[in-house]
């Protein structure tokens, strides 16, 4: 009996640390003994570079522009610990749909049965989460990913992007779309960061998978072109990523979230804004934050 391939998608707004998180999850799963492919779905094509010593790889769309027909193996490159790296790529600047690379790449890999050939345990899609585009919705809409996770900090625009993703998952869930595994809370370095994320997931009927602090270890590792798992395997930050990878590995049941309407989200954010101003001005004691 063939083993079951687990496909997951990790979304998040640009600059939130989504690719950093995804690459460290891939690295941690690989170190744990799994065969992993990381599938970069951002037009910037920088998802996998810390898995390859800082090197960028040719994208599926760039390769197709040079050749009319390609083999999937032409766009698969191995990185840290044998992880298979793919970048879908995007169109030439100012031309076409930014999500077309995902659609093209997924079709190519399906036709050539690459996942089966490589005998993979995991395919992890790293997807830009703040652009409303049919291409970026493919892993959710088509049910390609079995589980979806979103990376979010406590900043409003990150939460806003996560809530938009929840709307997409909710919309496509009735037609066999992928469901939500939970929120990966990133850059959590103050108690109120955790309080904000905890309140948001409670309001949207989901869960936090892991709290990931901001760490200089990540910066040091990425300046070397490496993940934290590779550059600082015994660091506290590496332990956090390994625990996150373990939780994703053990995750079985994803659900339909309950996204907030725009007005509800703004009202929720305004409440938090007021509390944080009062906290800064000493009007509100720290232990009262989130309890009003």
């Amino acid at each position: 009996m063939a083993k079951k391939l687990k496909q997951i998608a990790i979304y998040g707004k640009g600059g939130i640390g989504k690719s950093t998180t995804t690459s460290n999850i891939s690295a941690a799963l690989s170190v744990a003994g799994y065969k992993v492919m990381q599938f970069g779905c951002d037009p910037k094509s920088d998802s996998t570079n810390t898995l390859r010593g800082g090197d960028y790889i040719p994208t599926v769309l760039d390769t197709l522009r040079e050749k009319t027909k390609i083999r999937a193996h032409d766009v698969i490159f191995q990185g840290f610990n044998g992880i298979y790296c793919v970048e879908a790529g995007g169109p030439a600047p100012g031309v076409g749909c930014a999500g077309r690379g995902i659609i093209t790449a997924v079709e190519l890999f399906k036709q050539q049965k690459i996942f089966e050939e490589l005998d993979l345990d995991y395919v992890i899609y790293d997807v830009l989460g703040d652009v409303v585009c049919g291409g970026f919705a493919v892993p959710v809409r088509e049910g390609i990913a079995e589980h979806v996770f979103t990376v979010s900090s406590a900043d409003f625009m990150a939460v806003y992007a996560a809530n938009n993703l929840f709307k997409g998952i909710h919309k496509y869930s009735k037609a066999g779309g992928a469901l939500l595994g939970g929120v990966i809370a990133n850059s959590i370095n103050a108690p109120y960061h955790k309080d904000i994320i905890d309140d948001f997931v409670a309001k949207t009927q989901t869960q936090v998978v892991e709290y990931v602090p901001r760490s200089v270890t990540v910066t040091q590792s990425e300046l070397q072109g490496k993940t934290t798992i590779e550059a600082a395997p015994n660091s506290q930050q590496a332990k956090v990523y390994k625990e996150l990878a373990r939780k994703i590995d053990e995750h079985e049941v994803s659900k339909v979230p309950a996204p907030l309407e725009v007005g509800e989200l703004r009202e929720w954010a305004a409440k938090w804004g007021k509390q944080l101003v009062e906290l800064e001005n000493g009007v509100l004691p720290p232990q009262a934050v989130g309890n009003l």
Side-chain angles (χ1 to χ4, degrees):
M1 184 176 178
K3 65 183 176 185
K4 187 177 186 302
L5 170 65
K6 197 169 183 178
Q7 300 193 65
I8 66 173
I10 299 179
Y11 281 76
K13 75 175 289 296
I16 200 61
K18 166 184 54 66
S19 294
T20 295
T21 304
T22 304
S23 295
N24 277 286
I25 291 170
S26 293
L29 288 170
S30 175
V31 167
Y34 293 107
K35 294 181 76 173
V36 180
M37 173 180 284
Q38 183 163 315
F39 208 115
C41 300
D42 190 318
K44 295 195 306 295
S45 311
D46 59 356
S47 171
T48 60
N49 64 347
T50 58
L51 294 171
R52 288 183 42 82
D55 289 341
Y56 288 77
I57 60 176
T59 72
V60 174
L61 284 189
D62 283 346
T63 306
L64 273 171
R65 278 191 279 269
E66 294 170 6
K67 307 176 183 177
T68 53
K69 197 170 183 181
I70 63 172
R71 292 169 60 251
H73 285 286
D74 295 338
V75 291
I76 299 172
F77 300 83
Q78 284 193 278
F80 169 70
N81 207 40
I83 295 170
Y84 296 103
C85 301
V86 178
E87 294 284 355
V95 180
C97 168
R100 190 170 73 86
I102 306 171
I103 299 168
T104 304
V106 167
E107 281 304 310
L108 175 70
F109 280 45
K110 268 187 184 177
Q111 288 166 8
Q112 298 185 20
K113 300 187 184 303
I114 284 298
F115 299 157
E116 295 85 348
E117 180 188 327
L118 296 177
D119 193 31
L120 298 172
D121 295 297
Y122 276 94
V123 178
I124 303 179
Y125 299 90
D126 174 10
V127 195
L128 186 64
D130 52 359
V131 177
V132 180
C133 168
F136 294 119
V138 164
V140 171
R141 187 182 69 228
E142 305 295 333
I144 292 168
E146 184 182 1
H147 307 286
V148 175
F149 298 89
T150 184
V151 178
S152 179
S153 68
D155 294 336
F156 177 73
M157 290 311 298
V159 171
Y160 181 85
N163 193 65
N164 272 349
L165 173 63
F166 295 176
K167 288 180 180 179
I169 292 171
H170 189 274
K171 175 179 179 180
Y172 295 118
S173 62
K174 293 178 182 147
L179 302 182
L180 184 75
V183 175
I184 299 167
N186 199 36
S187 297
I188 306 301
N189 283 74
Y192 71 84
H193 291 159
K194 182 177 181 297
D195 293 335
I196 289 172
I197 290 291
D198 285 349
D199 192 30
F200 174 64
V201 299
K203 289 281 191 299
T204 52
Q205 297 175 31
T206 181
Q207 64 178 346
V208 172
V209 183
E210 187 61 83
Y211 301 95
V212 181
R214 181 185 291 274
S215 170
V216 69
T217 308
V218 175
T219 305
Q220 291 166 343
S221 301
E222 292 192 337
L223 287 171
Q224 298 174 58
K226 297 177 180 179
T227 61
T228 301
I229 297 295
E230 180 183 5
N234 299 316
S235 64
Q236 187 57 44
Q237 191 75 3
K239 289 176 185 174
V240 173
Y241 286 131
K242 287 174 183 176
E243 180 63 11
L244 171 58
R246 183 191 66 79
K247 289 178 179 177
I248 287 175
D249 182 42
E250 294 178 357
H251 181 83
E252 294 292 339
V253 181
S254 290
K255 299 177 181 177
V256 181
L260 300 175
E261 295 301 324
V262 173
E264 294 176 306
L265 189 63
R266 281 292 355 161
E267 186 178 327
W268 172 85
K271 180 202 79 170
W272 272 105
K274 181 182 177 186
Q275 286 194 49
L276 294 185
V277 168
E278 291 176 348
L279 175 65
E280 185 178 7
N281 294 333
V283 177
L284 191 68
Q287 62 270 22
V289 173
N291 295 321
L292 299 182

